Amino acid sequence: MTTSFESGVQKVINIFKKRPHTAFYANEKDPLHAAFPAKVAVHSGPFGVPVFWGAQAAIDKLADRKRTIHAVAYLHIPFCESRCLYCMFYQNPYDEEMANRYTEGLIKEIRMWSGRKILEGRPLEAVYFGGGTPTALSAKNIKRLVETVKEVLPVKENCEITMEGRINHFSDDKIEAALSAGVNRFSLGIQTFDTDLRRAMQRKDDRETVLYALENMASYKEAATIIDLIYGFPGQTPEIWWDDCITAESLNIGGIDCYQLNVFDKSPLMKQIERGKMPEAPGMAEVADMFATFVDVMSKSKRWNRLSNTHWGRSPLERNIYNVLGRGAGDCLGFGCGAGGKIAGNSYMMERKLSNWFGGIDKGEKPVWVMMRPSPNWHLLRTMASAVETGPFNLNKIGEVFHVPIARLVKPVTDQWVKAGLLIKDEDTFHPTVAGQFWYVTMAQFLVDYLTPKLPSDQSADENMIQSISMPIQNDSRWKLFNGAPK
């Protein structure tokens, strides 16, 4: 029976109620397949205090504060030409007239902060157009949006500008419009190369079309092309996944992200499984083996360098800046219907309903739906969580920045994880094994949950040292212990 992500989380919560002091510990007999009963988070980090009434005024006040730490921007395009069966990010079907109106509205929203202090301070190091499907927009609208961002927002010289999308209907005129405007990174959701599996998940293009499109993308030397692969689809056999891995490794693209499929209760995919129209999804042990297969293929390749627990790069153009900074303690300026952002630890979500978003834009207001005020020690906890999510991490170094003995406070847990085979310790650095890489988000969240009640009053970081922990050095030497690590 397929276990949904939500039911897995509830299972872990029930275990914490029964044995709160040892629930953080991993299974020592089989850490890869069963370190913990389930995965507990999609993204790790501290929780905040929700603010519904007054969220608009609160964000407006934050816009008058000068930024001091690393920052990125995220722009959301809430349209898709079709809905993939597994996707929980779908909002609206693509309509050209509505997309034109949305482009105008998004440009207005970007310009709302012109002259405000929020656009002062550190320049933005990365900009990400996500969705939805940004590549569904017309070439004209793509070009206008990117040019507006570069005109209004304080982007750094050689800022990483990513456009997310899919190969379907991503024509050469759209590619060239994006490149001419300043896009230097494309992130494409390939998910699998298997034609039958793609069709089952309602992906339109077959294997040959996908490979041809990626070869065409690789011919544009001005930008890095990144693809996403997903493991854990119903019907995805080890043989299909093996072919996906070796196919991806052979491509002349810039980078590869590898993610586990989360099957959510209300997703169309779960409904199809429950109705018997789709086979059961692989269990945790099976998907763990899939992850290990991908790591084995990529680590043996001489063409690829590992940049994080789930990301590999081949081209010097692939810097992976947004992915690293976006999960850290820095700011993320969010724009667009359904976009998320964070300023000085305050996270916010824009209106997800198009009519409500347009209503705010028409009134000259930034249409914020909800905000989360930061909890105590948010900067420390977010920094630690992002370090664990990225790869090898040094708790002593983070502790020095925040003047808190983090390594000592979490030592019972990290010692047990070393014993269980999730981590290898080399001096002050913890290197995740293959098992640790598979469970990295759960481990990051567990460290946050374990450390939180042990912390003193809110700790502020040494601003002079923030840079050293906000942007981990990304080169293969950080993974020097990886190849000999136990599974």
Side-chain angles (χ1 to χ4, degrees), residues 130-321:
T133 310
T135 54
L137 295 176
S138 68
K140 179 182 178 180
N141 286 337
I142 288 172
K143 187 176 177 65
R144 290 185 66 206
L145 285 173
V146 178
E147 288 178 341
T148 300
V149 164
K150 294 184 69 177
E151 174 196 345
V152 178
L153 302 185
V155 298
K156 187 177 183 179
E157 184 178 358
N158 198 28
C159 175
E160 177 189 273
I161 302 179
T162 302
M163 177 150 289
E164 181 182 85
R166 59 170 72 174
I167 63 167
N168 189 259
H169 291 166
F170 193 27
S171 54
D172 286 352
D173 65 321
K174 292 184 181 184
I175 296 170
E176 290 161 9
L179 292 172
S180 67
V183 170
N184 51 30
R185 187 174 185 269
F186 295 106
S187 179
L188 303 176
I190 300 302
Q191 324 313 12
T192 177
F193 297 100
D194 186 83
T195 297
D196 291 339
L197 187 55
R198 288 179 60 81
R199 296 280 166 76
M201 294 299 118
Q202 297 183 7
R203 305 292 285 184
K204 292 186 175 182
D205 298 303
D206 60 19
R207 176 187 177 91
E208 289 70 26
T209 303
V210 170
L211 293 176
Y212 177 81
L214 290 176
E215 183 179 359
N216 181 55
M217 293 292 297
S219 69
Y220 292 94
K221 304 303 182 184
E222 306 97 314
T225 296
I226 318 303
I227 66 169
D228 290 348
L229 290 184
I230 292 179
Y231 58 94
F233 286 121
Q236 188 177 40
T237 64
E239 292 76 20
I240 289 174
W241 178 242
W242 168 258
D243 183 74
D244 281 344
C245 293
I246 60 173
T247 299
E249 188 281 330
S250 70
L251 297 174
N252 293 318
I253 56 175
I256 305 172
D257 267 316
C258 180
Y259 299 116
Q260 179 183 342
L261 176 70
N262 291 313
V263 182
F264 293 96
D265 279 335
K266 296 182 180 181
S267 67
L269 177 58
M270 178 58 87
K271 292 176 182 178
Q272 292 286 75
I273 293 172
E274 291 173 342
R275 293 167 182 165
K277 296 182 178 181
M278 187 71 63
E280 299 290 339
M284 191 66 73
E286 294 171 279
V287 295
D289 284 336
M290 289 180 176
F291 175 78
T293 295
F294 179 77
V295 171
D296 185 57
V297 169
M298 297 301 291
S299 64
K300 289 177 179 177
S301 174
K302 299 183 184 301
R303 305 172 66 244
W304 294 89
N305 295 315
R306 194 161 197 177
L307 304 183
S308 73
N309 279 312
T310 60
H311 192 78
W312 301 73
R314 193 186 67 85
S315 164
L317 293 175
E318 170 51 350
R319 295 170 289 169
N320 200 35
I321 298 172

Side-chain angles (χ1 to χ4, degrees), residues 11 26-39 260 283-293 420-422 433-436 438-439 486-487:
K11 183 177 181 180
N27 178 357
E28 297 180 10
K29 294 182 179 179
D30 190 0
L32 175 60
H33 301 118
F36 306 104
K39 295 191 174 182
Q260 179 183 342
M284 191 66 73
E286 294 171 279
V287 295
D289 284 336
M290 289 180 176
F291 175 78
T293 295
L422 293 176
T433 64
V434 177
F438 177 68
W439 291 97
K487 297 182 179 181

Side-chain angles (χ1 to χ4, degrees), residues 44 151 154 164 178 223 315 346 348 362 442 454:
S44 65
E151 174 196 345
E164 181 182 85
S315 164
N346 298 270
Y348 63 93
D362 291 342
T442 297
K454 301 179 183 301

